[in-house]
PDB file of all heavy atoms in Angstrom:
ATOM      1  N   ALA A   9      -5.969  -2.134  15.757  1.00  0.00           N
ATOM      2  CA  ALA A   9      -5.455  -1.598  14.486  1.00  0.00           C
ATOM      3  C   ALA A   9      -3.933  -1.541  14.435  1.00  0.00           C
ATOM      4  O   ALA A   9      -3.359  -1.315  13.381  1.00  0.00           O
ATOM      5  CB  ALA A   9      -6.025  -0.203  14.275  1.00  0.00           C
ATOM      6  N   GLY A  10      -3.295  -1.726  15.576  1.00  0.00           N
ATOM      7  CA  GLY A  10      -1.833  -1.739  15.590  1.00  0.00           C
ATOM      8  C   GLY A  10      -1.287  -0.890  16.705  1.00  0.00           C
ATOM      9  O   GLY A  10      -1.721   0.243  16.841  1.00  0.00           O
ATOM     10  N   GLY A  74      11.370   4.814  14.000  1.00  0.00           N
ATOM     11  CA  GLY A  74      10.684   6.101  13.857  1.00  0.00           C
ATOM     12  C   GLY A  74       9.299   5.966  13.259  1.00  0.00           C
ATOM     13  O   GLY A  74       8.597   6.957  13.079  1.00  0.00           O
ATOM     14  N   GLY A  75       8.902   4.743  12.939  1.00  0.00           N
ATOM     15  CA  GLY A  75       7.549   4.519  12.417  1.00  0.00           C
ATOM     16  C   GLY A  75       7.355   5.095  11.026  1.00  0.00           C
ATOM     17  O   GLY A  75       8.264   5.713  10.444  1.00  0.00           O
ATOM     18  N   ALA A  76       6.168   4.883  10.522  1.00  0.00           N
ATOM     19  CA  ALA A  76       5.840   5.469   9.206  1.00  0.00           C
ATOM     20  C   ALA A  76       5.908   6.983   9.295  1.00  0.00           C
ATOM     21  O   ALA A  76       6.237   7.654   8.310  1.00  0.00           O
ATOM     22  CB  ALA A  76       4.430   5.022   8.793  1.00  0.00           C
ATOM     23  N   THR A  77       5.655   7.512  10.478  1.00  0.00           N
ATOM     24  CA  THR A  77       5.644   8.968  10.652  1.00  0.00           C
ATOM     25  C   THR A  77       6.991   9.608  10.280  1.00  0.00           C
ATOM     26  O   THR A  77       7.028  10.683   9.675  1.00  0.00           O
ATOM     27  CB  THR A  77       5.292   9.322  12.123  1.00  0.00           C
ATOM     28  OG1 THR A  77       3.999   8.733  12.401  1.00  0.00           O
ATOM     29  CG2 THR A  77       5.237  10.806  12.363  1.00  0.00           C
ATOM     30  N   LEU A  78       8.093   8.939  10.628  1.00  0.00           N
ATOM     31  CA  LEU A  78       9.386   9.535  10.293  1.00  0.00           C
ATOM     32  C   LEU A  78       9.631   9.444   8.764  1.00  0.00           C
ATOM     33  O   LEU A  78      10.306  10.315   8.205  1.00  0.00           O
ATOM     34  CB  LEU A  78      10.526   8.844  11.065  1.00  0.00           C
ATOM     35  CG  LEU A  78      11.844   9.597  11.115  1.00  0.00           C
ATOM     36  CD1 LEU A  78      11.687  11.027  11.613  1.00  0.00           C
ATOM     37  CD2 LEU A  78      12.871   8.869  11.973  1.00  0.00           C
ATOM     38  N   GLU A  79       9.023   8.458   8.126  1.00  0.00           N
ATOM     39  CA  GLU A  79       9.146   8.354   6.673  1.00  0.00           C
ATOM     40  C   GLU A  79       8.398   9.507   5.971  1.00  0.00           C
ATOM     41  O   GLU A  79       8.740   9.855   4.840  1.00  0.00           O
ATOM     42  CB  GLU A  79       8.649   7.002   6.156  1.00  0.00           C
ATOM     43  CG  GLU A  79       9.420   5.812   6.712  1.00  0.00           C
ATOM     44  CD  GLU A  79      10.920   5.983   6.653  1.00  0.00           C
ATOM     45  OE1 GLU A  79      11.438   6.298   5.561  1.00  0.00           O
ATOM     46  OE2 GLU A  79      11.592   5.837   7.704  1.00  0.00           O
ATOM     47  N   PHE A  80       7.396  10.061   6.651  1.00  0.00           N
ATOM     48  CA  PHE A  80       6.701  11.218   6.050  1.00  0.00           C
ATOM     49  C   PHE A  80       7.720  12.326   5.750  1.00  0.00           C
ATOM     50  O   PHE A  80       7.570  13.083   4.790  1.00  0.00           O
ATOM     51  CB  PHE A  80       5.636  11.783   6.993  1.00  0.00           C
ATOM     52  CG  PHE A  80       4.464  10.868   7.312  1.00  0.00           C
ATOM     53  CD1 PHE A  80       3.611  11.163   8.371  1.00  0.00           C
ATOM     54  CD2 PHE A  80       4.247   9.700   6.581  1.00  0.00           C
ATOM     55  CE1 PHE A  80       2.543  10.323   8.670  1.00  0.00           C
ATOM     56  CE2 PHE A  80       3.184   8.856   6.878  1.00  0.00           C
ATOM     57  CZ  PHE A  80       2.324   9.165   7.927  1.00  0.00           C
ATOM     58  N   PHE A 101      -3.542   9.864   7.756  1.00  0.00           N
ATOM     59  CA  PHE A 101      -2.087   9.665   7.618  1.00  0.00           C
ATOM     60  C   PHE A 101      -1.584  10.220   6.285  1.00  0.00           C
ATOM     61  O   PHE A 101      -0.504  10.772   6.194  1.00  0.00           O
ATOM     62  CB  PHE A 101      -1.711   8.186   7.796  1.00  0.00           C
ATOM     63  CG  PHE A 101      -1.964   7.710   9.190  1.00  0.00           C
ATOM     64  CD1 PHE A 101      -2.935   6.771   9.462  1.00  0.00           C
ATOM     65  CD2 PHE A 101      -1.244   8.233  10.246  1.00  0.00           C
ATOM     66  CE1 PHE A 101      -3.191   6.338  10.769  1.00  0.00           C
ATOM     67  CE2 PHE A 101      -1.506   7.817  11.564  1.00  0.00           C
ATOM     68  CZ  PHE A 101      -2.467   6.872  11.821  1.00  0.00           C
ATOM     69  N   ALA A 102      -2.401  10.060   5.239  1.00  0.00           N
ATOM     70  CA  ALA A 102      -2.046  10.635   3.932  1.00  0.00           C
ATOM     71  C   ALA A 102      -1.907  12.153   4.072  1.00  0.00           C
ATOM     72  O   ALA A 102      -1.007  12.777   3.510  1.00  0.00           O
ATOM     73  CB  ALA A 102      -3.103  10.292   2.893  1.00  0.00           C
ATOM     74  N   CYS A 150      -1.309   6.762   0.291  1.00  0.00           N
ATOM     75  CA  CYS A 150      -1.438   5.857   1.436  1.00  0.00           C
ATOM     76  C   CYS A 150      -2.370   4.763   0.961  1.00  0.00           C
ATOM     77  O   CYS A 150      -3.557   5.008   0.730  1.00  0.00           O
ATOM     78  CB  CYS A 150      -2.022   6.619   2.637  1.00  0.00           C
ATOM     79  SG  CYS A 150      -2.242   5.541   4.063  1.00  0.00           S
ATOM     80  N   GLN A 151      -1.808   3.569   0.766  1.00  0.00           N
ATOM     81  CA  GLN A 151      -2.561   2.548  -0.005  1.00  0.00           C
ATOM     82  C   GLN A 151      -3.751   1.963   0.762  1.00  0.00           C
ATOM     83  O   GLN A 151      -4.725   1.545   0.164  1.00  0.00           O
ATOM     84  CB  GLN A 151      -1.608   1.431  -0.445  1.00  0.00           C
ATOM     85  CG  GLN A 151      -2.199   0.591  -1.564  1.00  0.00           C
ATOM     86  CD  GLN A 151      -1.152  -0.184  -2.328  1.00  0.00           C
ATOM     87  OE1 GLN A 151      -0.006   0.246  -2.473  1.00  0.00           O
ATOM     88  NE2 GLN A 151      -1.528  -1.337  -2.829  1.00  0.00           N
ATOM     89  N   ASN A 152      -3.637   1.912   2.061  1.00  0.00           N
ATOM     90  CA  ASN A 152      -4.777   1.455   2.894  1.00  0.00           C
ATOM     91  C   ASN A 152      -4.933   2.453   4.034  1.00  0.00           C
ATOM     92  O   ASN A 152      -3.976   2.695   4.786  1.00  0.00           O
ATOM     93  CB  ASN A 152      -4.509   0.065   3.438  1.00  0.00           C
ATOM     94  CG  ASN A 152      -5.710  -0.493   4.199  1.00  0.00           C
ATOM     95  OD1 ASN A 152      -6.640  -1.033   3.615  1.00  0.00           O
ATOM     96  ND2 ASN A 152      -5.715  -0.327   5.516  1.00  0.00           N
ATOM     97  N   ASN A 153      -6.121   3.014   4.108  1.00  0.00           N
ATOM     98  CA  ASN A 153      -6.361   4.069   5.114  1.00  0.00           C
ATOM     99  C   ASN A 153      -6.969   3.438   6.365  1.00  0.00           C
ATOM    100  O   ASN A 153      -8.174   3.201   6.445  1.00  0.00           O
ATOM    101  CB  ASN A 153      -7.258   5.133   4.500  1.00  0.00           C
ATOM    102  CG  ASN A 153      -6.572   5.786   3.323  1.00  0.00           C
ATOM    103  OD1 ASN A 153      -5.689   6.623   3.482  1.00  0.00           O
ATOM    104  ND2 ASN A 153      -6.910   5.345   2.102  1.00  0.00           N
ATOM    105  N   THR A 154      -6.082   3.176   7.329  1.00  0.00           N
ATOM    106  CA  THR A 154      -6.383   2.400   8.520  1.00  0.00           C
ATOM    107  C   THR A 154      -7.574   2.923   9.295  1.00  0.00           C
ATOM    108  O   THR A 154      -8.363   2.153   9.820  1.00  0.00           O
ATOM    109  CB  THR A 154      -5.138   2.464   9.454  1.00  0.00           C
ATOM    110  OG1 THR A 154      -3.955   2.464   8.664  1.00  0.00           O
ATOM    111  CG2 THR A 154      -5.103   1.306  10.422  1.00  0.00           C
ATOM    112  N   ILE A 155      -7.678   4.236   9.399  1.00  0.00           N
ATOM    113  CA  ILE A 155      -8.720   4.846  10.228  1.00  0.00           C
ATOM    114  C   ILE A 155     -10.075   4.801   9.532  1.00  0.00           C
ATOM    115  O   ILE A 155     -11.106   4.573  10.150  1.00  0.00           O
ATOM    116  CB  ILE A 155      -8.333   6.306  10.572  1.00  0.00           C
ATOM    117  CG1 ILE A 155      -7.086   6.300  11.475  1.00  0.00           C
ATOM    118  CG2 ILE A 155      -9.497   7.071  11.190  1.00  0.00           C
ATOM    119  CD1 ILE A 155      -6.532   7.705  11.741  1.00  0.00           C
ATOM    120  N   ASP A 174       2.733   4.558   1.301  1.00  0.00           N
ATOM    121  CA  ASP A 174       2.666   4.135   2.695  1.00  0.00           C
ATOM    122  C   ASP A 174       1.751   2.913   2.704  1.00  0.00           C
ATOM    123  O   ASP A 174       0.546   3.035   2.462  1.00  0.00           O
ATOM    124  CB  ASP A 174       2.082   5.292   3.534  1.00  0.00           C
ATOM    125  CG  ASP A 174       1.787   4.883   4.979  1.00  0.00           C
ATOM    126  OD1 ASP A 174       2.025   3.693   5.340  1.00  0.00           O
ATOM    127  OD2 ASP A 174       1.330   5.759   5.739  1.00  0.00           O
ATOM    128  N   VAL A 175       2.336   1.742   2.925  1.00  0.00           N
ATOM    129  CA  VAL A 175       1.523   0.510   2.921  1.00  0.00           C
ATOM    130  C   VAL A 175       1.413  -0.079   4.335  1.00  0.00           C
ATOM    131  O   VAL A 175       1.159  -1.275   4.490  1.00  0.00           O
ATOM    132  CB  VAL A 175       2.106  -0.543   1.946  1.00  0.00           C
ATOM    133  CG1 VAL A 175       2.039  -0.039   0.509  1.00  0.00           C
ATOM    134  CG2 VAL A 175       3.540  -0.951   2.285  1.00  0.00           C
ATOM    135  N   SER A 176       1.587   0.791   5.343  1.00  0.00           N
ATOM    136  CA  SER A 176       1.634   0.303   6.730  1.00  0.00           C
ATOM    137  C   SER A 176       0.566  -0.736   7.060  1.00  0.00           C
ATOM    138  O   SER A 176       0.884  -1.784   7.628  1.00  0.00           O
ATOM    139  CB  SER A 176       1.485   1.472   7.706  1.00  0.00           C
ATOM    140  OG  SER A 176       2.606   2.315   7.625  1.00  0.00           O
ATOM    141  N   SER A 177      -0.684  -0.434   6.706  1.00  0.00           N
ATOM    142  CA  SER A 177      -1.738  -1.344   7.175  1.00  0.00           C
ATOM    143  C   SER A 177      -2.166  -2.364   6.131  1.00  0.00           C
ATOM    144  O   SER A 177      -3.102  -3.124   6.358  1.00  0.00           O
ATOM    145  CB  SER A 177      -2.927  -0.539   7.695  1.00  0.00           C
ATOM    146  OG  SER A 177      -3.260   0.482   6.797  1.00  0.00           O
ATOM    147  N   CYS A 178      -1.473  -2.434   4.984  1.00  0.00           N
ATOM    148  CA  CYS A 178      -1.780  -3.533   4.044  1.00  0.00           C
ATOM    149  C   CYS A 178      -0.508  -4.259   3.613  1.00  0.00           C
ATOM    150  O   CYS A 178      -0.535  -5.070   2.702  1.00  0.00           O
ATOM    151  CB  CYS A 178      -2.554  -3.034   2.835  1.00  0.00           C
ATOM    152  SG  CYS A 178      -1.702  -1.759   1.876  1.00  0.00           S
ATOM    153  N   TYR A 193       6.867   1.951   2.069  1.00  0.00           N
ATOM    154  CA  TYR A 193       7.269   1.865   3.473  1.00  0.00           C
ATOM    155  C   TYR A 193       6.103   1.436   4.331  1.00  0.00           C
ATOM    156  O   TYR A 193       4.939   1.629   3.969  1.00  0.00           O
ATOM    157  CB  TYR A 193       7.861   3.196   3.967  1.00  0.00           C
ATOM    158  CG  TYR A 193       6.931   4.378   3.979  1.00  0.00           C
ATOM    159  CD1 TYR A 193       6.158   4.684   5.109  1.00  0.00           C
ATOM    160  CD2 TYR A 193       6.817   5.220   2.863  1.00  0.00           C
ATOM    161  CE1 TYR A 193       5.316   5.788   5.128  1.00  0.00           C
ATOM    162  CE2 TYR A 193       5.966   6.306   2.875  1.00  0.00           C
ATOM    163  CZ  TYR A 193       5.223   6.607   3.996  1.00  0.00           C
ATOM    164  OH  TYR A 193       4.376   7.682   4.009  1.00  0.00           O
ATOM    165  N   ALA A 194       6.447   0.842   5.461  1.00  0.00           N
ATOM    166  CA  ALA A 194       5.406   0.325   6.366  1.00  0.00           C
ATOM    167  C   ALA A 194       5.916   0.273   7.784  1.00  0.00           C
ATOM    168  O   ALA A 194       7.018  -0.249   8.036  1.00  0.00           O
ATOM    169  CB  ALA A 194       4.986  -1.086   5.926  1.00  0.00           C
ATOM    170  N   GLY A 195       5.135   0.797   8.704  1.00  0.00           N
ATOM    171  CA  GLY A 195       5.378   0.520  10.123  1.00  0.00           C
ATOM    172  C   GLY A 195       5.024  -0.939  10.336  1.00  0.00           C
ATOM    173  O   GLY A 195       4.022  -1.415   9.793  1.00  0.00           O
ATOM    174  N   ALA A 196       5.830  -1.669  11.098  1.00  0.00           N
ATOM    175  CA  ALA A 196       5.643  -3.121  11.175  1.00  0.00           C
ATOM    176  C   ALA A 196       4.454  -3.564  12.023  1.00  0.00           C
ATOM    177  O   ALA A 196       3.996  -4.693  11.898  1.00  0.00           O
ATOM    178  CB  ALA A 196       6.917  -3.755  11.735  1.00  0.00           C
ATOM    179  N   GLN A 197       3.952  -2.652  12.860  1.00  0.00           N
ATOM    180  CA  GLN A 197       3.101  -3.106  13.972  1.00  0.00           C
ATOM    181  C   GLN A 197       1.678  -3.539  13.611  1.00  0.00           C
ATOM    182  O   GLN A 197       0.845  -3.712  14.495  1.00  0.00           O
ATOM    183  CB  GLN A 197       3.041  -2.015  15.036  1.00  0.00           C
ATOM    184  CG  GLN A 197       2.315  -0.733  14.637  1.00  0.00           C
ATOM    185  CD  GLN A 197       3.238   0.293  13.962  1.00  0.00           C
ATOM    186  OE1 GLN A 197       4.272  -0.052  13.425  1.00  0.00           O
ATOM    187  NE2 GLN A 197       2.861   1.560  13.975  1.00  0.00           N
ATOM    188  N   LYS A 198       1.408  -3.707  12.312  1.00  0.00           N
ATOM    189  CA  LYS A 198       0.089  -4.206  11.934  1.00  0.00           C
ATOM    190  C   LYS A 198       0.198  -5.651  11.445  1.00  0.00           C
ATOM    191  O   LYS A 198      -0.398  -6.548  12.012  1.00  0.00           O
ATOM    192  CB  LYS A 198      -0.530  -3.294  10.860  1.00  0.00           C
ATOM    193  CG  LYS A 198      -0.932  -1.942  11.437  1.00  0.00           C
ATOM    194  CD  LYS A 198      -0.388  -0.838  10.629  1.00  0.00           C
ATOM    195  CE  LYS A 198      -0.484   0.538  11.212  1.00  0.00           C
ATOM    196  NZ  LYS A 198      -1.466   0.877  12.186  1.00  0.00           N
ATOM    197  N   GLY A 204       8.002  -0.340  16.347  1.00  0.00           N
ATOM    198  CA  GLY A 204       9.417   0.037  16.489  1.00  0.00           C
ATOM    199  C   GLY A 204      10.292  -0.336  15.304  1.00  0.00           C
ATOM    200  O   GLY A 204      11.481  -0.062  15.297  1.00  0.00           O
ATOM    201  N   VAL A 205       9.709  -0.997  14.325  1.00  0.00           N
ATOM    202  CA  VAL A 205      10.459  -1.318  13.088  1.00  0.00           C
ATOM    203  C   VAL A 205       9.689  -0.711  11.923  1.00  0.00           C
ATOM    204  O   VAL A 205       8.460  -0.837  11.861  1.00  0.00           O
ATOM    205  CB  VAL A 205      10.586  -2.841  12.857  1.00  0.00           C
ATOM    206  CG1 VAL A 205      11.340  -3.136  11.561  1.00  0.00           C
ATOM    207  CG2 VAL A 205      11.273  -3.518  14.033  1.00  0.00           C
ATOM    208  N   THR A 206      10.391  -0.040  11.031  1.00  0.00           N
ATOM    209  CA  THR A 206       9.779   0.424   9.781  1.00  0.00           C
ATOM    210  C   THR A 206      10.524  -0.226   8.624  1.00  0.00           C
ATOM    211  O   THR A 206      11.751  -0.171   8.585  1.00  0.00           O
ATOM    212  CB  THR A 206       9.939   1.952   9.584  1.00  0.00           C
ATOM    213  OG1 THR A 206       9.740   2.593  10.841  1.00  0.00           O
ATOM    214  CG2 THR A 206       8.966   2.482   8.567  1.00  0.00           C
ATOM    215  N   ASN A 301      -9.106  -3.250   7.307  1.00  0.00           N
ATOM    216  CA  ASN A 301      -9.819  -2.537   8.376  1.00  0.00           C
ATOM    217  C   ASN A 301     -11.271  -2.330   7.952  1.00  0.00           C
ATOM    218  O   ASN A 301     -11.526  -1.689   6.936  1.00  0.00           O
ATOM    219  CB  ASN A 301      -9.179  -1.168   8.652  1.00  0.00           C
ATOM    220  CG  ASN A 301      -7.675  -1.227   8.811  1.00  0.00           C
ATOM    221  OD1 ASN A 301      -6.949  -0.995   7.833  1.00  0.00           O
ATOM    222  ND2 ASN A 301      -7.188  -1.582   9.971  1.00  0.00           N
ATOM    223  N   ARG A 337     -14.352  -0.417  14.478  1.00  0.00           N
ATOM    224  CA  ARG A 337     -13.398  -0.799  13.422  1.00  0.00           C
ATOM    225  C   ARG A 337     -12.853  -2.173  13.779  1.00  0.00           C
ATOM    226  O   ARG A 337     -12.340  -2.370  14.882  1.00  0.00           O
ATOM    227  CB  ARG A 337     -12.241   0.195  13.353  1.00  0.00           C
ATOM    228  CG  ARG A 337     -11.083  -0.303  12.493  1.00  0.00           C
ATOM    229  CD  ARG A 337      -9.985   0.725  12.368  1.00  0.00           C
ATOM    230  NE  ARG A 337      -9.502   1.200  13.634  1.00  0.00           N
ATOM    231  CZ  ARG A 337      -8.541   2.111  13.793  1.00  0.00           C
ATOM    232  NH1 ARG A 337      -7.985   2.653  12.721  1.00  0.00           N
ATOM    233  NH2 ARG A 337      -8.132   2.483  14.987  1.00  0.00           N
ATOM    234  N   TYR A 341      -6.066  -8.174  10.248  1.00  0.00           N
ATOM    235  CA  TYR A 341      -4.765  -8.450   9.653  1.00  0.00           C
ATOM    236  C   TYR A 341      -4.504  -9.962   9.587  1.00  0.00           C
ATOM    237  O   TYR A 341      -5.284 -10.755  10.124  1.00  0.00           O
ATOM    238  CB  TYR A 341      -3.659  -7.756  10.470  1.00  0.00           C
ATOM    239  CG  TYR A 341      -3.848  -6.252  10.595  1.00  0.00           C
ATOM    240  CD1 TYR A 341      -3.772  -5.615  11.835  1.00  0.00           C
ATOM    241  CD2 TYR A 341      -4.108  -5.456   9.471  1.00  0.00           C
ATOM    242  CE1 TYR A 341      -3.931  -4.247  11.959  1.00  0.00           C
ATOM    243  CE2 TYR A 341      -4.274  -4.078   9.583  1.00  0.00           C
ATOM    244  CZ  TYR A 341      -4.178  -3.483  10.829  1.00  0.00           C
ATOM    245  OH  TYR A 341      -4.340  -2.128  10.944  1.00  0.00           O
TER     246      TYR A 341
HETATM  247  C1  LIG B 401      -1.411   3.914   7.124  1.00  0.00           C
HETATM  248  C2  LIG B 401      -0.632   4.443   8.288  1.00  0.00           C
HETATM  249  N1  LIG B 401       0.357   5.319   8.069  1.00  0.00           N
HETATM  250  C3  LIG B 401       1.080   5.816   9.074  1.00  0.00           C
HETATM  251  C4  LIG B 401       0.833   5.479  10.388  1.00  0.00           C
HETATM  252  C5  LIG B 401       1.670   6.034  11.469  1.00  0.00           C
HETATM  253  O1  LIG B 401       2.537   5.039  11.830  1.00  0.00           O
HETATM  254  P1  LIG B 401       3.584   5.111  13.021  1.00  0.00           P
HETATM  255  O2  LIG B 401       2.767   5.199  14.273  1.00  0.00           O
HETATM  256  O3  LIG B 401       4.306   3.827  12.861  1.00  0.00           O
HETATM  257  O4  LIG B 401       4.441   6.302  12.814  1.00  0.00           O
HETATM  258  C6  LIG B 401      -0.183   4.551  10.674  1.00  0.00           C
HETATM  259  C7  LIG B 401      -0.424   4.154  12.056  1.00  0.00           C
HETATM  260  O5  LIG B 401      -1.376   3.571  12.452  1.00  0.00           O
HETATM  261  C8  LIG B 401      -0.939   4.041   9.595  1.00  0.00           C
HETATM  262  O6  LIG B 401      -1.938   3.194   9.810  1.00  0.00           O
END
Side-chain angles (χ1 to χ4, degrees):
T77 302
L78 197 53
E79 299 313 308
F80 296 167
F101 293 113
C150 178
Q151 198 160 329
N152 184 83
N153 298 282
T154 324
I155 293 174
D174 172 359
V175 296
S176 293
S177 46
C178 59
Y193 63 91
Q197 67 272 22
K198 289 129 192 335
V205 178
T206 320
N301 312 95
R337 168 177 55 180
Y341 303 131

